[in-house]
Amino acid sequence: MQRQLPRHANSRPARSRFGGDGLRAWGFLLPALCWTLAFFVLPLAIMAVYSLWQRVGYKVVTDISVQNYTAFFEKSFLYESLINSLEVTVMVTLISILLAYPLAYILAEKVPPRWQRIALILAILPFWTSYVVRSYSWILVLSEGGILSNFLLDIGLTSEPVSFANSRGATVIGFVHFFVMLLTLTIFANLVQLPKNYRRAAADLGAGPIRTFIHIILPLTLPGIMVGAFLTFVLCIGDYITPAILGGKRELLLPQTIMLQIERRSDFPTASALAMILMAVVSVVYAACARWLKLDRM
Amino acid sequence: MAMRNIPALIYSLAIYGFIYLPVAVLVLFSFQESRVPIPPFNGPSLKWYAALMADTRVTDALLNSVIVAFASSAVSVVLGFLAAYALARHKVRFGGVLQALLTAPLTVSYLIIAMGLLITFNNLGIPKSLLTIGIGHVVINMPLCFAIIFSQMGAHQANMERAARDLGAAEWQVILMVSVPLLWPALFAAFFLSVTFSWDEFIIAFLVSRFDVTLPVEIWSMLRTGLNPKTNAVGSFVFLVSVVVVLAADLILFRKKKA
């Protein structure tokens, strides 16, 4: 979004003056660094160690083993919750991209500039509702006797009140609702940066609108799609609230399984191992998307 | 020039409809007269808002949320700014590594951060409180503040800072009287984003709190009683607050950019 800004490599003129003065810089860095080390790195390290311990009875036994990780693949409810999470996340990411891209395109290309701001603000305003409340709102829509059920009764598509809540579909709808807004934003930001000349050049060279889109526009907006898709994947696969409120009890997603270990069973070693597995999955996805996700190019 | 393309118009309206449907239902049925927030609508009534204001658990949680949001965001902006200043303006060994380390929490799920903090606080014997929630919120918001502020530290500001130094300003004077005023839009944006993220954050607040809870945690426990117009009322209230804050921030930032 701030691509025009100068890179930081060019902006260190203070260096000569402060050539020998690394100490002062470290003084400025230290508070943030200590905070990160104490409340981010240390907890992760403790979790990594916990994941190698076991809970026996009500006690944590500090013998090192990979038992929790092998249990993950042996106990089907643990392993299946990861599969469920992956299926839901991939589905959510794809549906959100497919729904968001046309909207971002319309906002960037068809809406007159002075309406763009308003349209964009309107598109992301519900983004700022509390996300606990957002999932609850979908219950109001999807539950038995809710708005959707009522509407279907009114138009005669069903003769009994129906419930769409407490299902995987409801979880996916709740997620897509949130991520359509996010992806519209990242794709829009990318689209408005494309020079208009590219389109004209393609037209001059004989390409129709569809060819121009597939060969010019789409590849150039891939960074916007990938940034949004990566954020969607990370936020979606780690979210507990949406499946907990909308998903029902038939199947659990990985964050729900983790919370179950913490809340009901106080089994921190197993929960830690599951968290490590979740982090590993996210890292693999990050590595796959890394070339589109440079911080200072966003 | 109106929108000429009819399919585009229909598509946009459909997506906007999808985005606003749950919000509209939420707000509408917060004015419900009866005890269930489902059709038919038989309001309008303000009794659920009155019930909300009379509920000290809700008002306490609201106050806690405001305290945690402002305090944790202030700490996040200050720490993020100092780190950005150090890395953008001084030559620091392993600068790239430090930058990656400081922004690393952005790529880790809140659930994992929350769990790590819970285990750490348990082991160190630190009692769960508003303070521990605030600590967690700084962990998730400081990287964001750092990234926003760092990305806005351009060359022309560096030149002004150097000019100030040449004219004899001490380092703290350079920071307070040159860098901060120049970077104010970025600092404000970072602070404001942090406030909204903290205001809305659930899982960390849930796991590292005990008796004093924030609003999302209180709403979560209200959900256990099932569908209830009072939950609609608190949800609508939270939405209203967020909308006002977002629009105000947008106005302030937009004006600043023009100037």
Side-chain angles (χ1 to χ4, degrees), chain B residues 64-74 137 191 194-196 198-199:
Chain B
N64 290 342
S65 271
V66 172
I67 294 171
V68 169
F70 278 85
S72 70
S73 302
H137 285 182
F191 179 76
S194 298
V195 167
T196 58
S198 167
W199 167 253

Side-chain angles (χ1 to χ4, degrees), chain A residues 15-31:
Chain A
R15 189 198 333 185
S16 53
R17 223 185 129 80
F18 283 86
D21 196 349
L23 267 183
R24 179 173 285 169
W26 279 99
F28 291 132
L29 256 175
L30 217 53

Side-chain angles (χ1 to χ4, degrees), chain B:
Chain B
M1 192 177 86
M3 220 188 320
R4 281 166 298 182
N5 203 326
I6 299 296
L9 183 66
I10 292 172
Y11 184 81
S12 311
L13 288 179
I15 297 282
Y16 278 93
F18 171 64
I19 291 175
Y20 276 92
L21 176 66
V23 181
V25 174
L26 176 81
V27 175
L28 176 67
F29 285 97
S30 71
F31 299 110
Q32 178 80 318
E33 176 71 39
S34 70
R35 300 188 137 268
V36 274
I38 54 172
F41 178 66
N42 53 18
S45 155
L46 284 173
K47 70 178 187 189
W48 300 109
Y49 287 91
L52 213 59
M53 292 307 145
D55 187 339
T56 51
R57 286 170 57 105
V58 172
T59 49
D60 285 352
L62 179 70
L63 187 65
N64 290 342
S65 271
V66 172
I67 294 171
V68 169
F70 278 85
S72 70
S73 302
V75 174
S76 302
V77 169
V78 172
L79 296 192
F81 166 74
L82 290 177
Y85 184 81
L87 285 176
R89 295 288 184 262
H90 297 271
K91 176 122 179 101
V92 178
R93 267 172 177 247
F94 310 115
V97 177
L98 289 169
Q99 193 183 324
L101 177 65
L102 289 176
T103 49
L106 288 177
T107 58
V108 177
S109 300
Y110 288 3
L111 173 62
I112 296 175
I113 292 176
M115 212 179 111
L117 286 172
L118 174 65
I119 298 178
T120 308
F121 292 145
N122 279 350
N123 276 314
L124 297 178
I126 298 171
K128 295 185 265 184
S129 64
L130 288 186
L131 179 68
T132 49
I133 301 177
I135 288 175
H137 285 182
V138 174
V139 172
I140 58 171
N141 282 329
M142 189 179 64
L144 196 72
C145 293
F146 168 76
I148 291 173
I149 297 165
F150 185 74
S151 74
Q152 300 290 333
M153 287 190 142
H156 83 281
Q157 293 144 358
N159 289 336
M160 292 208 205
E161 286 160 10
R162 209 160 26 159
R165 266 185 219 110
D166 286 346
L167 294 169
E171 192 72 6
W172 65 269
Q173 286 173 315
V174 173
I175 290 177
L176 282 183
M177 298 163 95
V178 181
S179 313
V180 169
L182 282 174
L183 279 168
W184 121 259
L187 295 171
F188 180 81
F191 179 76
F192 150 75
L193 258 185
S194 298
V195 167
T196 58
F197 280 18
S198 167
W199 167 253
D200 192 24
E201 200 286 323
F202 169 75
I203 197 79
I204 296 174
F206 179 64
L207 282 182
V208 303
S209 67
R210 194 156 194 163
F211 302 115
D212 293 325
V213 295
T214 57
L215 201 51
V217 179
E218 180 56 33
I219 295 175
W220 169 254
S221 57
M222 286 170 76
L223 289 189
R224 303 208 163 162
T225 61
L227 299 182
N228 186 338
K230 196 171 151 192
T231 313
N232 287 48
V234 72
S236 307
F237 173 75
V238 171
F239 180 52
L240 182 73
V241 170
S242 307
V243 168
V244 170
V245 173
V246 170
L247 293 181
D250 187 70
L251 222 63
I252 295 169
L253 279 179
F254 191 57
R255 288 223 177 120
K256 201 70 195 171
K257 259 180 207 162
K258 263 187 170 172

Side-chain angles (χ1 to χ4, degrees), chain A residues 188-208:
Chain A
F188 174 86
N190 198 160
L191 273 169
V192 290
Q193 286 175 355
L194 298 186
K196 300 277 178 217
N197 298 345
Y198 289 7
R199 201 179 307 257
R200 268 179 241 140
D204 282 352
L205 294 169

Side-chain angles (χ1 to χ4, degrees), chain A residues 5 9 12 49 63 152 159 165 169 176 215 235 239 248 292 294:
Chain A
L5 286 165
R12 282 183 179 148
V49 173
D63 296 333
L152 293 177
S159 51
V176 166
H215 292 286
L235 295 174
D239 185 39
W292 289 287
K294 297 208 178 77

Side-chain angles (χ1 to χ4, degrees), chain A residues 16-88:
Chain A
S16 53
R17 223 185 129 80
F18 283 86
D21 196 349
L23 267 183
R24 179 173 285 169
W26 279 99
F28 291 132
L29 256 175
L30 217 53
L33 201 58
C34 289
W35 201 285
T36 307
L37 291 175
F39 301 118
F40 176 71
V41 177
L42 176 68
L44 287 186
I46 293 180
M47 250 162 61
V49 173
Y50 256 80
S51 75
L52 299 172
W53 292 348
Q54 296 82 43
R55 197 193 67 144
V56 180
Y58 289 97
K59 282 193 173 160
V60 171
V61 178
T62 59
D63 296 333
I64 302 290
S65 89
V66 290
Q67 200 178 306
N68 295 321
Y69 292 94
T70 51
F72 173 78
F73 292 100
E74 283 158 8
K75 293 183 185 164
S76 62
F77 75 98
L78 294 177
Y79 172 73
E80 273 163 19
S81 70
L82 174 64
I83 301 296
N84 290 339
S85 269
L86 285 172
E87 283 172 4
V88 166

